[in-house]
Amino acid sequence: MSKALTFDFNNMMSGAVGKDGITDGEINGCAAKAAEARAAVLAEAGKGWQGWMNLPYNQDEIVKDILECAVSVRSRCDAFVVLGIGGSALGPSAVFNALKHLRYNDLPKEKRGGPKFYVEDNVDPERMASLLDVIDVEKTVFNVITKSGATSETMSQFLIIHKLLKDKLGDRAAEHIIATTDEKKGNLIKIAKEEGLKTFYIPDGVGGRFSELCPVGLLPAAVLGIDIKRMLEGARDMDELCRDEKMEKNPALMAAALMYIAMNKGKNISVMMPYADSLRLISDWYCQLWAESLGKAVDNDGKRVYAGQTPVKALGVTDQHSQVQLYTEGPFDKVVTFLAVENFRDTVVIPDGFPDLPDVNFLCGSTMNRLINTELDATEYALTKAGRLNFRITLKQVDEYSIGGLLYFFMMQTAYCGAMLNINTYNQPGVEEGKNATYAMFGKKGYEEKKKELDSAPAKDEKYVI
């Protein structure tokens, strides 16, 4: 059993959900493929785009630098703003939401113990304008995160902030910008050197959706006072567990095998449903990890496979009142992952009242803690009774150790599942096509042929516009 979490897949099995469930025979029949996937992933650990597997082990000096920088940032700013998109934003957001006060930015400064925190991951002009309405740029440090320095969204934000800082502070603008990027190549590292920016490096072989445990996520977490050493310890212990050759002792390998079998049985939707507001944004982070890693048109042999499983985020108990009706009685095309918390950081007692209203009074004297977990049990029961596949991941408590372990568990599950599907888990050609089209539409040099392609596309027919 992991010290960070427990993985209960009883309700994936036919004994619990009936004919639509998975049998021991199907797991045994998948064991050889799972073993091959494990061997393939571990053989490449730390190599190529699996550099993320080194992160729990090789960052002592980097962590020291991050912690020193974090002390400086906390001492001199009222706000800390991440400029990034994808993994550069989703990871920092998820960890912040999990480990800090749920209304952190609303707390007075002495209770926060650190700067207000904002993550800007879109280019909606109203959003940028609204940020500038609530921060003082002269009392803000901006962390611009992009490995290539060519991410249009992030660099557009950077250009806006850079000009504002230059106009107000002149040469001191550099004191308010930290760059997190590639050490040797790309546009941002060139700018960082020219401007004299404090810089942290995204290691080789660490893609955006696998980057939370490197400076991409560790610096924002440290600025907020989160124990990043403990996060890495949780990831390290989870890595050891998820390397076990026995599938029945390896939660990530078992989870990958179960999802692989489920996909082959037509379960093409993965619902992530935490029963804790602190874990709400883990669902957003997971959605990118699972979708971008596994959604591939061709496999490693060039065969058209259209692989993948659509991730959907939900929140218990909120979405019991919006989505669970579909999950219980709609198509048999989903696997629901429940994220549970055994011990919440606060206990809230439901006071006595209205004894003449039994529909209300039955709650009195209990706690919200019991209520939320009882509702999880009830929803799990309802789905299982209806023959719907689901499993539960339980954190003993939400802390740095368990979050580090949980993130690493999902990364290992994704790596193993990608290997079982025989696809490239780490590329993203579907994303690149949209990027290239954007560059061409803006007339970026080198994209002339793409612009011709776009110009030759059929015009929209007004008949289909109302």
Side-chain angles (χ1 to χ4, degrees):
M1 181 186 295
S2 165
K3 291 183 288 184
L5 57 85
T6 57
F7 173 61
D8 180 349
F9 58 95
N10 273 278
N11 296 334
M12 295 290 287
M13 306 304 294
S14 60
V17 297
K19 63 181 179 63
D20 214 43
I22 295 169
T23 66
D24 287 331
E26 286 174 311
I27 291 178
N28 292 334
C30 189
K33 181 175 282 291
E36 290 175 5
R38 172 187 168 275
V41 169
L42 296 186
E44 295 300 313
K47 304 174 185 176
W49 283 105
Q50 287 181 215
W52 59 271
M53 293 182 71
N54 284 337
L55 297 177
Y57 302 98
N58 66 353
Q59 297 191 96
D60 288 349
E61 288 302 312
I62 296 166
V63 165
K64 182 180 177 182
D65 190 10
I66 286 172
L67 292 175
E68 290 174 355
C69 180
V71 170
S72 171
V73 170
R74 283 199 301 273
S75 71
R76 60 190 173 88
C77 73
D78 293 336
F80 185 78
V81 179
V82 166
L83 305 178
I85 198 166
S88 300
L90 293 170
S93 295
V95 168
F96 164 65
N97 187 75
L99 296 175
K100 300 305 293 184
H101 191 286
L102 290 174
R103 305 187 195 277
Y104 174 86
N105 279 359
D106 294 328
L107 292 173
K109 187 173 183 178
E110 59 272 15
K111 286 190 176 182
R112 285 199 316 271
K116 290 185 177 182
F117 184 61
Y118 303 92
V119 177
E120 299 305 307
D121 66 344
N122 207 347
V123 290
D124 184 324
E126 294 182 17
R127 178 166 174 173
M128 176 57 73
S130 70
L131 173 70
L132 298 177
D133 281 340
V134 298
I135 64 169
D136 178 350
V137 294
E138 297 184 53
K139 297 179 181 179
T140 301
V141 172
F142 298 86
N143 182 200
V144 54
I145 308 173
T146 164
K147 188 161 191 172
S148 66
T151 308
S152 299
E153 299 87 351
T154 303
M155 294 311 289
S156 70
Q157 295 172 334
F158 171 73
L159 287 166
I160 293 164
I161 296 301
H162 182 258
K163 184 177 189 307
L164 280 172
L165 289 171
K166 281 285 191 180
D167 288 347
K168 286 180 175 288
L169 300 172
D171 291 341
R172 292 194 298 113
E175 299 171 11
H176 293 258
I177 303 173
I178 300 172
T180 305
T181 189
D182 191 275
E183 184 174 5
K184 298 175 182 176
K185 56 185 183 294
N187 299 310
L188 186 53
I189 188 61
K190 295 175 185 175
I191 293 170
K193 289 178 177 178
E194 289 174 4
E195 297 284 319
L197 305 181
K198 174 64 179 173
T199 307
F200 290 97
Y201 304 121
I202 303 172
D204 291 339
V206 178
R209 55 191 180 271
F210 290 88
S211 67
E212 175 55 23
L213 296 174
C214 79
V216 167
L218 296 182
L219 174 62
V223 167
L224 294 165
I226 292 168
D227 187 344
I228 60 175
K229 290 183 178 179
R230 188 68 172 150
M231 279 181 62
L232 291 170
E233 183 183 351
R236 188 162 56 248
D237 287 353
M238 183 57 66
D239 179 61
E240 182 178 345
L241 189 65
C242 293
R243 289 175 182 251
D244 199 299
E245 64 180 328
K246 295 181 179 178
M247 187 159 60
E248 63 271 19
K249 293 185 177 181
N250 185 329
L253 187 59
M254 178 62 78
L258 290 167
M259 283 300 211
Y260 175 81
I261 295 168
M263 282 186 246
N264 286 333
K265 293 165 76 78
K267 315 303 178 190
N268 61 358
I269 297 173
S270 171
V271 179
M272 182 62 61
M273 193 168 187
Y275 271 71
D277 272 75
S278 61
L279 301 178
R280 176 175 58 88
L281 295 186
I282 295 292
S283 297
D284 294 68
W285 174 84
Y286 167 83
C287 283
Q288 184 203 10
L289 178 71
W290 200 246
E292 230 171 48
S293 297
L294 303 186
K296 302 296 160 65
V298 298
D299 67 11
N300 291 327
D301 300 318
K303 180 181 176 183
R304 290 267 166 185
V305 292
Y306 302 107
Q309 193 182 44
T310 302
V312 173
K313 58 183 179 178
L315 177 65
V317 299
T318 300
D319 287 313
Q320 287 176 204
H321 297 267
S322 63
Q323 297 181 33
V324 167
Q325 171 64 34
L326 173 67
Y327 302 162
T328 307
E329 295 192 354
F332 287 79
D333 58 357
K334 302 170 191 68
V335 177
V336 178
T337 301
F338 293 113
L339 292 184
V341 176
E342 185 176 336
N343 300 305
F344 286 86
R345 290 168 292 205
D346 292 289
T347 298
V348 177
V349 176
I350 302 170
D352 194 23
F354 305 100
D356 55 333
L357 298 175
D359 286 348
V360 175
N361 188 257
F362 82 97
L363 294 167
C364 297
S366 190
T367 64
M368 295 188 84
N369 308 53
R370 181 185 175 196
L371 179 58
I372 193 169
N373 279 337
T374 300
E375 294 212 41
L376 166 54
D377 292 341
T379 304
E380 181 185 68
Y381 170 77
L383 287 176
T384 303
K385 181 181 178 182
R388 311 307 170 117
L389 273 64
N390 64 90
F391 60 84
R392 182 189 291 211
I393 297 169
T394 303
L395 278 59
K396 190 172 184 64
Q397 62 270 323
V398 178
D399 59 17
E400 287 91 341
Y401 182 84
S402 65
I403 291 299
L406 181 66
L407 297 179
Y408 203 85
F409 164 83
F410 282 132
M411 288 189 278
M412 288 297 289
Q413 179 198 18
T414 302
Y416 285 145
C417 198
M420 293 184 74
L421 290 167
N422 189 36
I423 51 102
N424 185 333
T425 310
Y426 303 102
N427 68 354
Q428 50 189 50
V431 177
E432 296 305 319
E433 178 65 20
K435 286 183 179 180
N436 293 339
T438 299
Y439 296 153
M441 290 176 186
F442 268 91
K444 184 177 179 181
K445 187 176 180 181
Y447 291 84
E448 292 79 10
E449 289 303 313
K450 177 62 67 174
K451 183 65 167 63
K452 290 179 182 178
E453 177 189 322
L454 291 165
D455 289 343
S456 64
K460 288 187 176 182
D461 192 328
E462 289 299 320
K463 179 173 68 174
Y464 302 118
V465 180
I466 298 175

